[in-house]
Amino acid sequence: MDKDGFLEFIKSADYIEAGSEAHLCMHEMSERARRITDKINNSYRTRDEIADLMNELTGGKVEEGFTLFPPLYADCGYNLHVGKNVFVNSGCCFQDHAGIYIGEGTMIGHQVVFATLNHDLDPKKRQSMIPRSIRVGKNVWIGSHATVLQGVNIGDNAVIAAGAVVTKDVEADSVVAGVPAKPVKKLS
């Protein structure tokens, strides 16, 4: 399986069996992503150089106004989709094999984790994975050290408090906090 085959497969995949063709392809894509993120992370880079490396990582073109403060970690890159004027602070982790979609104007704090894969609970199948994409709306603010888990959709203008663990969808114009994250305020 090549990259294009994997990206088509993952759109409708419910399960990735350990050792399968898709699983092996994921490992190859991870090696590639690590090589590129190593270039981003281990030397000073100008904004334009970072944009060029992000283009290489995602296989596309980062939108205008994209800002990244390295380091950044990604395990695929090809399935990371970032809108205009997105800010990513240092130390963020993007487990993007199943797809991460970040809307324009979103701000992501230090060391935020996006995890699109979960492992099988059966110990005999633990290395197999359940993929679900993450979708972040426009003008979202995700506080430092938050974790967004697989399958979560975050509505426009939402705020994720620092340290929150987001396990369920977040309504637009709301603030969530805690572990697991729960609504604490509605924005007017």
Side-chain angles (χ1 to χ4, degrees), residues 25-183:
C25 183
M26 290 170 68
H27 283 284
E28 290 173 16
M29 288 189 289
S30 292
E31 289 298 315
R32 176 194 156 276
R34 283 185 27 220
R35 283 191 298 275
I36 298 167
T37 57
D38 185 65
K39 291 178 191 175
I40 293 170
N41 297 339
N42 290 312
S43 180
Y44 172 78
R45 304 285 179 192
T46 66
R47 185 180 185 131
D48 289 342
E49 290 170 328
I50 287 173
D52 289 344
L53 287 164
M54 286 298 294
N55 291 338
E56 183 181 349
L57 179 66
T58 62
K61 180 133 178 63
V62 294
E63 296 284 346
E64 105 185 34
F66 174 78
T67 302
L68 165 68
F69 289 179
L72 161 91
Y73 304 96
D75 69 352
C76 176
Y78 288 127
N79 222 354
L80 176 57
H81 311 275
V82 180
K84 291 180 182 177
N85 300 314
V86 168
F87 173 75
V88 178
N89 218 325
S90 64
C92 291
C93 298
F94 295 90
Q95 184 191 56
D96 67 298
H97 274 109
I100 299 171
Y101 303 84
I102 300 170
E104 66 182 57
T106 291
M107 299 186 315
I108 301 170
H110 293 90
Q111 299 180 337
V112 170
V113 173
F114 294 89
T116 66
L117 301 172
N118 204 353
H119 290 275
D120 196 312
L121 292 177
D122 181 345
K124 294 176 186 146
K125 299 177 184 177
R126 186 75 34 94
Q127 292 183 17
S128 295
M129 290 167 277
I130 302 157
R132 301 285 183 274
S133 65
I134 294 171
R135 296 182 182 274
V136 178
K138 296 177 182 177
N139 301 311
V140 171
W141 174 21
I142 303 176
S144 296
H145 298 275
T147 299
V148 181
L149 297 181
Q150 65 162 175
V152 166
N153 296 299
I154 300 173
D156 293 347
N157 307 312
V159 176
I160 311 301
V165 177
V166 185
T167 61
K168 295 183 177 169
D169 289 354
V170 176
E171 289 185 23
D173 302 303
S174 64
V175 179
V176 299
V179 179
K182 295 185 178 171

